[in-house]
Amino acid sequence: MARIAFLGIGLMGTGMAGQLIDAGHEVHVFNRTRERAMPLVERGATLAISPAMAAQNADAIFVMVGDDVASKAMWMGPEGVLSADLRPGTLAIECSTLSHDWVEELSLAAKMKGLDYLDCPVTGLPDAAASGQLTLFLGGDQSTIDKARPFLEIISSNQLYFGPIGSGTAYKLIVNLMGSIQIAAAAEGLVTAERAGLDLDLVAKALGTGGCGSPQVTRNAPLMVQGEHEKDVLFSTKWRLKDTDYGLKYAHKLGLSPQIGSATLDAFQAAMDDGYSTSAETKVIDALRKRLAK
């Protein structure tokens, strides 16, 4: 069995690290809030006092955090992974949804350290992470993917290879921007249906099963109608805004100026401005209600 470092024990990281523990690997975990890691310690993980300590002597290092700032702290902070004395060829597997610029910078830093870097953002909800049913969007050398495959197959049921480093993140940013657009469009449609006096439960069901349906619409439209934006939050407004912003910045990097994406960013920024940062992403409907009313 391998020694694995897993850094970032949030809703997704808990499930992913748990799968690696259950597979029999020696898993060393680090999280900025120690308490969140304790359930994994009870399952057999070793709690490290820093990312560097977790990564020491590891065969593979996984990171699953919220944004560029957190990723930089894990990899390049004073006690970050790259400050440790690591074996050449150690797998460096970054699973977070990050900006394309930071992924390029990080991959170069990892290469300079002699690590085998893998661009590996994921899709799926926490229950998929806990059951090893995630889908991975991979970017990197084929040899690195082959070496990482035994670990990747534990945390996922599907691995999609998009090409060199950065291509997995490119696809993740594209699909997350599209998801943001779908959520905002569903919210706007429901506000319009509400003004029309339609049965919103029926509208939500019809949207999810009709031609405009998508997994995002199917899941989020009923939640918007129920209005329970603070209960069992799986993905907050803060993180939806971040993903939308990163997706737009990548499009701008490619010389594009997405108009629908920009309007969507404004919608989630409005929800943030209204104080909904920790509410579910579905709370965008209330921000739109205020601004669409005449």
Side-chain angles (χ1 to χ4, degrees):
M1 291 293 103
R3 174 166 172 153
I4 297 174
F6 203 103
L7 315 178
I9 309 300
L11 289 175
M12 298 294 288
T14 296
M16 295 164 71
Q19 285 292 297
L20 294 165
I21 293 168
D22 292 348
H25 292 295
E26 178 187 346
V27 180
H28 293 247
V29 298
F30 172 81
N31 197 64
R32 289 175 294 182
T33 306
R34 286 173 53 94
E35 291 74 19
R36 288 191 178 182
M38 296 316 295
L40 291 176
V41 173
E42 293 171 3
R43 290 171 65 176
T46 299
L47 182 62
I49 62 173
S50 70
M53 288 296 293
Q56 198 72 42
N57 299 317
D59 298 295
I61 303 160
F62 285 83
V63 174
M64 185 60 172
V65 293
D67 56 18
D68 287 4
V69 173
S71 176
K72 288 177 183 179
M74 290 294 188
W75 291 102
M76 294 186 176
E79 295 182 287
V81 169
L82 298 185
S83 71
D85 184 16
L86 304 173
R87 294 196 303 268
T90 298
L91 287 165
I93 305 173
E94 178 53 90
C95 299
S96 317
T97 301
L98 305 171
S99 73
H100 197 265
D101 284 347
W102 168 238
V103 166
E104 289 185 325
E105 181 182 342
L106 173 58
S107 65
L108 290 174
K111 183 177 180 180
M112 291 290 292
K113 189 73 175 179
L115 308 183
D116 288 343
Y117 183 88
L118 185 59
D119 184 25
C120 184
V122 313
T123 189
L125 295 172
D127 60 346
S131 59
Q133 298 297 306
L134 295 171
T135 293
L136 310 181
F137 305 140
L138 303 176
D141 294 338
Q142 188 62 55
S143 60
T144 300
I145 293 171
D146 291 341
K147 186 162 69 169
R149 195 175 303 281
F151 307 127
L152 304 181
E153 290 179 344
I154 292 169
I155 64 171
S156 66
S157 59
N158 192 21
Q159 306 94 36
L160 303 178
Y161 176 54
F162 284 92
I165 290 171
S167 57
T169 288
Y171 177 76
K172 174 66 170 176
L173 295 178
I174 291 166
V175 75
N176 275 25
L177 180 57
M178 289 180 65
S180 298
I181 292 167
Q182 291 167 4
I183 293 168
E188 189 168 286
L190 285 168
V191 171
T192 306
E194 185 175 54
R195 178 66 67 90
L198 302 182
D199 180 333
L200 291 189
D201 287 319
L202 179 58
V203 170
K205 180 179 179 181
L207 286 174
T209 58
C212 291
S214 71
Q216 290 286 12
V217 173
T218 300
R219 183 171 70 88
N220 286 298
L223 296 174
M224 292 179 194
V225 173
Q226 293 163 18
E228 294 184 349
H229 309 292
E230 317 301 329
K231 181 181 178 182
D232 301 325
V233 176
L234 298 179
F235 204 71
S236 71
T237 298
K238 172 185 175 182
W239 298 125
R240 178 54 64 182
L241 178 67
K242 181 269 295 186
D243 282 3
T244 309
D245 181 51
Y246 285 178
L248 276 174
K249 286 177 177 173
Y250 182 56
H252 294 154
K253 181 178 178 177
L254 297 176
L256 302 172
S257 183
Q259 301 304 301
I260 300 172
S262 295
T264 300
L265 183 72
D266 291 342
F268 284 103
Q269 183 62 61
M272 284 286 290
D273 293 344
D274 288 348
Y276 304 148
S277 64
T278 60
S279 302
E281 57 193 339
T282 50
K283 190 70 171 175
V284 70
I285 192 171
D286 285 345
L288 286 172
R289 276 194 182 103
K290 291 171 58 176
R291 289 159 178 83
L292 292 174
K294 291 185 178 179

